[in-house]
Amino acid sequence: MSIIIGIESTAHTFGVGVVKNGNVLSNVRDGYTTESGGIIPMDAAKHHVEIAEDVWVKALDEAGVSEGEISGIAISQAPGLAPCLIEGMKFAKKKCKELNVGLVCVNHCVAHLEIGRLTGAKDPVLLYASGANTQVIAYSGGKYRVFGETLDIGIGNFIDNFARVIGQGFPGGPKVQELALKGKYVELPYSIKGMDVAFSGMLTKLKQMYEKGFGAEDLSFSLQETAFGMLVEASERALAHTGKKELLLGGGVGCNSRLQEMCKIMCEERGCKFFVPRREFLVDNGGMIAYLGWLMFEKGLVVDVCDLDEVDIDSKERTDMVDVRWK
Ligand code: ATP
Ligand code: FE2
């Protein structure tokens, strides 16, 4: 029986989750947002430092777990914004030393994927659509293999960028989704090569059209139809190529109901099953870090408290670089 606390701090969100024997008992989050403009990494890191202790206390309270019961602490070690990762790592190491427990180093992207197991998906193709990442992934031979991905920016950053152009703050995804409800279709560049996608051409076009007087609602609607169409097409190719029968959505952009609907329709047409985690597990959260941390802890993939000085953040580690030693 083990209780693992997960700490998330790769970008805008500081989160703490508690997992006991594979069950998420609590999942508390505090996000850095802006009225206008994007994330300033140093400001986000400062936000994390200020609220870390409160989020920690609240997560343990909600889970009904005391510090003395903790078996280990998991941290999102990679990838992300370095100033944010560093503060999370400092906080986790401090707690490990105080409580004399080991540290489990988790890759944030892989945690977004593994938390999908809670939906019941067994061997899916994963559409990982988040702020910095856009990848179509499937597990094979000890690694999460990337079949297709964005060749430039992540889908979430692309949407947030567009939101900024039309005067909205961060995060832009929910605002664009809202505006899209009243929009109609105008043509935008559709860019997919094999299973790879690209968004910067569409972003330039959207900026030009907005300056020419096209409405934010029509552009939001068309952005969603076009960009999500590309993601669904890449996912369908991966399903066809791998012969897998399940599609799992992950990452913050997975909250978008139009993207969910388009995935569902494609899966129904192909006779595949579609899975999507609850919203709290799609956006950045400590629960997913605790969950993967627990899987790894059970396999002994823990850094001893004496060796903490050897552990550092890794702002660049990719999904397909991680050795999956817990399956
Ligand atoms: P990564 O996982 O790549 O490091 P991240 O951690 O920044 O990126 P998440 O928290 O998984 O990303 O997702 C944040 C993104 O999700 C933001 O870009 C935000 O605009 C987007 N998002 C949230 N809700 C919605 C929505 N309803 N529609 C579209 N996008 C959304
Ligand atoms: Fe994320």
Side-chain angles (χ1 to χ4, degrees):
M1 209 185 68
S2 48
I3 296 181
I4 303 296
I5 315 295
I7 297 173
E8 161 57 33
S9 80
T10 54
H12 41 77
T13 297
F14 188 87
V16 177
V18 179
V19 164
K20 182 177 182 180
N21 298 331
N23 297 309
V24 183
L25 300 183
S26 70
N27 193 15
V28 180
R29 253 179 312 127
D30 193 304
Y32 158 91
T33 55
T34 68
E35 286 295 318
S36 65
I39 308 182
I40 300 166
M42 294 307 281
D43 284 356
K46 203 164 142 241
H47 160 267
H48 298 349
V49 175
E50 280 163 10
I51 48 83
E53 190 63 37
D54 285 355
V55 176
W56 169 275
V57 169
K58 201 163 166 217
L60 265 68
D61 268 4
E62 277 184 20
V65 163
S66 68
E67 287 192 338
E69 295 175 280
I70 296 172
S71 320
I73 295 176
I75 179 76
S76 42
Q77 178 192 27
L81 305 172
C84 301
L85 288 165
I86 288 168
E87 292 308 335
M89 181 64 82
K90 271 197 220 158
F91 182 78
K93 283 185 180 176
K94 186 183 88 180
K95 290 288 179 193
C96 284
K97 284 178 189 158
E98 278 171 19
L99 304 174
N100 193 29
V101 295
L103 183 71
V104 187
C105 295
V106 165
N107 176 292
H108 173 93
C109 304
V110 177
H112 268 299
L113 308 178
E114 287 290 0
I115 195 68
R117 287 200 201 185
L118 296 183
T119 63
K122 298 216 162 46
D123 183 24
V125 164
L126 305 136
L127 172 56
Y128 173 33
S130 67
N133 287 286
T134 305
Q135 293 177 328
V136 178
I137 301 161
Y139 179 77
S140 168
K143 289 240 162 85
Y144 280 107
R145 313 278 169 188
V146 176
F147 282 81
E149 65 187 312
T150 178
L151 299 174
D152 43 41
I153 48 176
I155 176 90
N157 290 357
F158 158 64
I159 296 174
D160 293 335
N161 226 304
F162 167 70
R164 217 143 67 210
V165 170
I166 59 168
Q168 305 283 343
F170 176 83
K175 290 159 193 155
V176 168
Q177 175 173 331
E178 180 76 36
L179 286 166
L181 291 174
K182 296 197 195 102
K184 54 182 193 321
Y185 182 73
V186 289
E187 197 174 333
L188 290 171
Y190 184 93
S191 176
I192 179 163
K193 292 204 170 66
M195 284 178 253
D196 291 332
V197 292
F199 299 110
S200 55
M202 200 191 313
L203 181 60
T204 306
K205 185 77 185 174
L206 282 162
K207 281 183 191 155
Q208 288 167 351
M209 289 170 86
Y210 187 67
E211 279 158 17
K212 277 193 197 140
F214 281 85
E217 290 164 348
D218 289 348
L219 294 178
S220 296
F221 176 82
S222 310
L223 173 158
Q224 290 199 163
E225 294 307 301
T226 312
F228 298 163
M230 286 155 50
L231 298 185
V232 172
E233 182 178 334
S235 305
E236 184 167 22
R237 285 219 178 109
L239 285 166
H241 177 77
T242 58
K244 295 192 195 266
K245 290 284 175 206
E246 299 174 335
L247 178 68
L248 172 66
L249 191 54
V253 182
C255 296
N256 188 287
S257 39
R258 179 61 179 143
L259 176 58
Q260 292 184 4
E261 183 185 24
M262 286 166 84
C263 288
K264 194 158 166 258
I265 293 169
M266 181 272 281
C267 285
E268 274 166 12
E269 284 174 356
R270 289 192 65 81
C272 293
K273 280 193 188 159
F274 174 57
F275 297 89
V276 58
R278 289 207 308 269
R279 187 188 153 80
E280 66 168 311
F281 294 123
L282 283 169
V283 293
D284 286 357
N285 67 94
M288 69 181 188
I289 306 302
Y291 182 74
L292 175 52
W294 172 76
L295 289 170
M296 293 171 71
F297 183 87
E298 290 293 307
K299 297 282 181 200
L301 301 167
V302 190
V303 178
D304 195 87
V305 69
C306 314
D307 301 325
L308 289 184
D309 291 345
E310 285 162 31
V311 179
D312 201 358
I313 59 150
D314 180 349
S315 63
K316 296 258 170 350
E317 187 182 56
R318 279 171 55 89
T319 312
D320 49 9
M321 286 159 75
V322 177
D323 276 326
V324 180
R325 289 187 285 155
W326 54 87
K327 271 196 192 259

